[in-house]
Amino acid sequence: MKNFVVKTIANAAALAVAIWLLKGITLSGENTLRKVLTLILVALVFGVVNFIVKPVVKLLSFPLFILTLGLITLVINALMLMLTSFLAKELGLAFHVDGFWNALVGGVIISVVAWAMHMILPDDKD
């Protein structure tokens, strides 16, 4: 349970940084509390997408992974972010990614920040 909470916090922080840095990734709400709750819910959706969909996509794209020496991972991360944006819209959450290039850069930012957050935050091993 602790690991799930840590991953959700790391995803929320990474998404917040991407929203802050990129104009093409937006999160809206009436007030700060609403924005924070939306961010946490979007982080949960992002975590579910990365847990369920991403392994299947990576398995199916394994030949492309070898062919591109791993660069296809950037595209997969962008597609997972775009899928999160779509699901957030369907769930009524005010989160939107505007286009593939914003998703690509956002995916890189989220990967780097999430990795840093996982290094800082404790997990079940501690």
Side-chain angles (χ1 to χ4, degrees):
M1 181 66 176
K2 184 178 177 183
N3 196 22
F4 173 75
V5 172
V6 168
K7 285 185 183 227
T8 302
I9 292 170
N11 282 340
L15 284 164
V17 171
I19 291 165
W20 179 59
L21 290 176
L22 297 174
K23 291 182 182 182
I25 300 178
T26 57
L27 178 81
S28 56
E30 298 87 37
N31 55 34
T32 304
L33 179 61
R34 181 72 174 163
K35 286 182 182 179
V36 169
L37 290 174
T38 302
L39 183 63
I40 291 170
L41 290 174
V42 170
L44 287 170
V45 170
F46 187 67
V48 169
V49 166
N50 280 327
F51 182 74
I52 295 173
V53 178
K54 190 173 183 178
V56 174
V57 172
K58 285 181 99 172
L59 179 66
L60 294 175
S61 66
F62 186 70
L64 287 174
F65 183 82
I66 293 172
L67 185 66
T68 64
L69 301 174
L71 290 176
I72 192 70
T73 304
L74 297 173
V75 174
I76 292 171
N77 288 343
L79 294 175
M80 294 305 108
L81 189 57
M82 291 179 75
L83 179 59
T84 300
S85 175
F86 172 77
L87 292 174
K89 179 183 172 190
E90 295 296 315
L91 293 171
L93 300 172
F95 174 77
H96 180 69
V97 177
D98 187 29
F100 176 77
W101 294 109
N102 284 310
L104 186 71
V105 175
V108 171
I109 292 168
I110 290 169
S111 296
V112 170
V113 174
W115 171 80
M117 292 299 293
H118 286 295
M119 298 305 288
I120 294 169
L121 294 172
D123 59 4
D124 286 340
K125 297 175 190 171
D126 293 338

